[in-house]
Amino acid sequence: MTALFSDQTVLIVEKNLEELAQLRQILSSIGFQKIEVASSVNMAASLLAEVHVDLCILVYDLGRQEQNGLQVLQQLKAAGKPIYSTCFMLVVDPEKVNLLMGSPELSADGYLSKPYDQLKIRAQLEKQLRIKRCIAQIERFRDQGAWNEALAECDRIQKQFPALGVLIFRIKGLVYLEKQHYQKAMQVFDRIRQAHDKPWVHVALGITAYESTDYKRARKEMNQVIDDQQVCQEAYLVMARIHWLCGERNQCVTLLRKAVMLQPTMPVLQGELGNRAAFAEELSVAVDGFRQAVHHARHTALQNPEYYFGLVRVIQQMIADKPDRNSDFIQEAIRVLESVVHDCMDDPEIRFRARLIAAEIYRENGEHQNADFAAGDALAQFRKIPLPAQLSGVDLLTDGLEPTRFSTEAQELKQEVSRLMASVEWGKCNLKGMLSFRQKSKVDAFKEFEQAWNADPGNPGVGLNLLQTGIESLRRTVAQPDVVKRCAEIVNALHYGGLSAKQQQRYALLTERFSELIKEAEIA
């Protein structure tokens, strides 16, 4: 037994020093010699991204307002460094275990409970590590992104170890999802459900149905999981996006509010809430969501400048609505803009956007000297950023400086930059798409805009062009899953804080049109 553990490196993620010492002593006594410790999710994720660990023991509850242990897996996934070959064990109260089993991929391999019992811990770790050894080659292939090799190894291991059937089928289904082979994934997860009807299976089916644009099936699966009180980020995220795509704005925001009550330290859920509430003009809800997203994602792989910009854009709206609190709001907005520049390592593109918004805020509140200084800095930063980023942000520049003495200079810059659009891959495709759209060749326009989007994902102008073209195509027939999927991607990908006022209006109009088409298709 000791030999099984002696060559294994283990990481314990625990904040309580007394219980950490107890667990460490138990692990040492059963044979572990290489034991590392992390007191927070961020520390653990950083260590796991750099050092190989065979076993990671995650304490779920790391304290009030602290990220929970499972968020280590989410951070690794977001960083593009999932570690399938590591065995993850979650320390959680027995009564909570069944509520934390909803994620098909981002859940632990096994569970331990407090108070710690050495015999139970030994038995659990022996069982899980032996299983990990049996599937070690599969997990190495998954770590490498070698999906075909992983599938072939699954078939081999399934014949050698029939008792691991459900686990192997689960891995195969997840690999098919990675390969975007949704029909095969659906077949695998449906087969598992017939013999092993667990919450994670319904989440996997819901994700697969959603990616296949079968929103009716996805809605059914995710509603069942949510009704069963599962604490599962994927279920809430997918269900909220279905509500949004179908034009059910209130239901979307209400569901996300419930999600963040259950999982307050999840920046993805908080950011989604901020974004959806902002578009729905529920400003107080939006500002709280963005604040929490910024706080919990800071200095992690989940950090997203759009959370900061979304927060500031909402504060701008609140300044207009609540003039009696202008001073507090302005101070917070400027502080957030300074933070995003600092947290993004003074990136010139981020600095350009931050200074541009700061100029707007100062100008709207009569601080013309500060506004001119910030606007001049924004222009200087714009000239420093690469041409593709200039092309992507030039509409923000001209819209932001339109009512200022810099307006003429901004328009001249736009003309200068726009003349070079054809020299950039996405710009060339965007121009071709606009030409095809004017010539009423919607199929060609969609292909060109799609190429432009793939070359520069998240570009607001390109995204809105692609969405508009897709809607025109779907009006002829909605039975175009690839077009629906791409349009849904854009509806969900565009951020409130990344759009100019004119782009926000266009987004609202296009999403309303898209929702009408989706609702009709779902009812049919």
Side-chain angles (χ1 to χ4, degrees), residues 407-422:
S407 176
T408 301
E409 188 176 351
Q411 288 295 337
E412 289 172 354
L413 258 178
K414 181 175 183 177
Q415 291 175 13
E416 178 186 328
V417 168
S418 298
R419 281 195 290 269
L420 300 173
M421 183 174 282

Side-chain angles (χ1 to χ4, degrees), residues 328-341:
D328 293 340
F329 284 142
I330 292 169
Q331 288 179 25
E332 180 181 7
I334 298 302
R335 189 167 60 248
V336 173
L337 291 173
E338 290 171 350
S339 293
V340 71
V341 173

